[in-house]
Amino acid sequence: MADWIQQNLPNVYSLGWGGDFGWGIAIWQTIFMTVGSAIIGGLIGLLFGTGLVLTADDGITPNRPLFQILDKVVSVGRAIPFIIMVVAFSPLTQLIVGTTIGTTAALVPLSLGVFPFYARQVQVALLGVDAGKVEAARSFGATNWDIITDVYLREGRSELIRVSTVTLISLVGLTAMAGAIGAGGLGTTAIVTGYQRFQNDVMWLATILILLLIVLIQFIGDFFAKRAHHVN
């Protein structure tokens, strides 16, 4: 197998698995950026999305000024193209990480880029929870925290898993875009090592690996979403 790869995919073979630019580190960097920014941006997005539902006029804690602030932040954040966000927030990235280049530095713009998208997805998912169950919980004396955890998040978990899956897939695409400007990962391998150096075999293999990662995320997300739906 190795001989076949060396003969038919010489550039793929020359990169190897290890080393600073090998396939192993490229895959690891893509996974690291995806998971790291998903955790950071996901938590922020969950807070904003939940806040939008709670502070709406028909929410359990109506607060129009706060709702307007949250809504505007999410809307503006979604409107900024990711490439522009990378440049615009480079001083913040420099302040937090100490550099604007590399895999760790990419976590800042990736998190800022994904949280508005996820916040809106969370808002839509939680708005799909039956309002009657919310009112029933309130009539039984449930606290706001009880309603958030036992009604909104519990009843909406299947849809939350689905929107989280969509967000993770979007993040994989953003890591590829970040890779094109030096963040590392399969994006850098595909664009810098493959496309810009006319190594088509490298470019296509990196692209296929990104697609396989997306398919894997979709499969896992659908599996857990179906299980959560059956539990509900």
Side-chain angles (χ1 to χ4, degrees):
M1 184 64 178
D3 292 337
W4 185 91
I5 295 175
Q6 185 175 11
Q7 182 178 356
N8 295 279
L9 305 171
N11 298 308
V12 169
Y13 184 85
S14 64
L15 280 180
W17 182 260
D20 294 336
F21 302 100
W23 291 102
I25 190 64
I27 294 171
W28 162 248
Q29 287 174 338
T30 296
I31 294 174
F32 173 78
M33 287 188 289
T34 301
V35 174
S37 55
I39 293 173
I40 300 171
L43 288 174
I44 299 174
L46 182 63
L47 289 174
F48 270 72
T50 305
L52 285 167
V53 174
L54 300 180
T55 60
D57 290 340
D58 56 349
I60 61 175
T61 57
N63 188 322
R64 179 168 286 274
L66 180 56
F67 175 85
Q68 291 295 332
I69 292 173
L70 296 175
D71 185 63
K72 293 298 184 294
V73 170
V74 170
S75 296
V76 171
R78 289 191 64 190
I80 302 175
F82 178 68
I83 290 295
I84 295 177
M85 185 171 290
V86 171
V87 177
F89 287 97
S90 57
L92 178 62
T93 303
Q94 179 72 39
L95 178 65
I96 295 175
V97 184
T99 180
T100 59
I101 300 175
T103 306
T104 303
L107 293 179
V108 177
L110 283 170
S111 300
L112 292 175
V114 78
F115 100 80
F117 174 81
Y118 187 58
R120 196 64 80 189
Q121 297 287 320
V122 169
Q123 180 188 16
V124 173
L126 296 185
L127 286 174
V129 174
D130 187 356
K133 294 183 178 181
V134 176
E135 290 302 321
R138 297 183 74 173
S139 66
F140 281 105
T143 65
N144 290 339
W145 179 251
D146 291 333
I147 294 174
I148 294 171
T149 57
D150 295 336
V151 181
Y152 279 121
L153 297 184
R154 181 182 179 86
E155 296 296 326
R157 60 186 172 188
S158 177
E159 191 61 28
L160 285 173
I161 293 173
R162 293 187 188 279
V163 300
S164 298
T165 302
V166 173
T167 303
L168 279 172
I169 290 173
S170 298
L171 264 175
V172 174
L174 292 181
T175 63
M177 194 182 302
I181 54 175
L186 291 169
T188 294
T189 302
I191 302 299
V192 178
T193 306
Y195 177 75
Q196 294 181 357
R197 297 180 183 177
F198 305 101
Q199 298 179 5
N200 290 333
D201 54 342
V202 171
M203 181 187 70
W204 282 111
L205 180 57
T207 302
I208 291 171
L209 290 174
I210 291 173
L211 290 175
L212 289 175
L213 179 59
I214 289 173
V215 170
L216 179 62
I217 292 172
Q218 186 69 65
F219 176 80
I220 295 174
D222 289 344
F223 174 78
F224 282 106
K226 290 177 181 177
R227 289 199 61 179
H229 179 74
H230 291 153
V231 171
N232 287 340

